[in-house]
Amino acid sequence: GEVYLAEQREPVQRKVALKLVKRGMDTREILARFAAERQALARMSHPGIARVYDAGSTADGRPWFAMEHVAGLPITAY
């Protein structure tokens, strides 16, 4: 997926990390893995794991989820 810093406006205003499936990566396997990741993260409750706030699909059908934004270095730079 792709992850962007975004702003949630409703029902509360806050910065979020928005993750969505890349264009062209909409195979059944990728979509199932993305759905499993979204579900697993939504069920977890731990101070070291970002919380999932919302989920859905774009107008063109790409699934996404919005999660807690954690400021810091990208994992690739850590």
Side-chain angles (χ1 to χ4, degrees):
E2 300 172 310
V3 181
Y4 299 94
L5 176 60
E7 183 179 328
Q8 180 181 7
R9 294 185 182 163
E10 296 290 333
V12 296
Q13 191 172 6
R14 58 185 163 196
K15 289 185 180 181
V16 297
L18 183 67
K19 185 170 184 177
L20 67 152
V21 172
K22 290 181 184 179
R23 291 192 190 281
M25 299 293 289
D26 56 352
T27 66
R28 254 188 250 182
E29 181 182 332
I30 297 287
L31 294 175
R33 194 166 57 207
F34 191 85
E37 176 187 359
R38 179 170 66 184
Q39 185 65 35
L41 286 171
R43 291 177 148 184
M44 293 183 195
S45 178
H46 186 277
I49 299 172
R51 294 177 291 158
V52 172
Y53 294 138
D54 202 359
S57 295
T58 63
D60 64 353
R62 290 191 302 159
W64 59 267
F65 61 90
M67 58 193 307
E68 179 180 9
H69 172 254
V70 179
L73 294 174
I75 195 164
T76 54
Y78 180 70

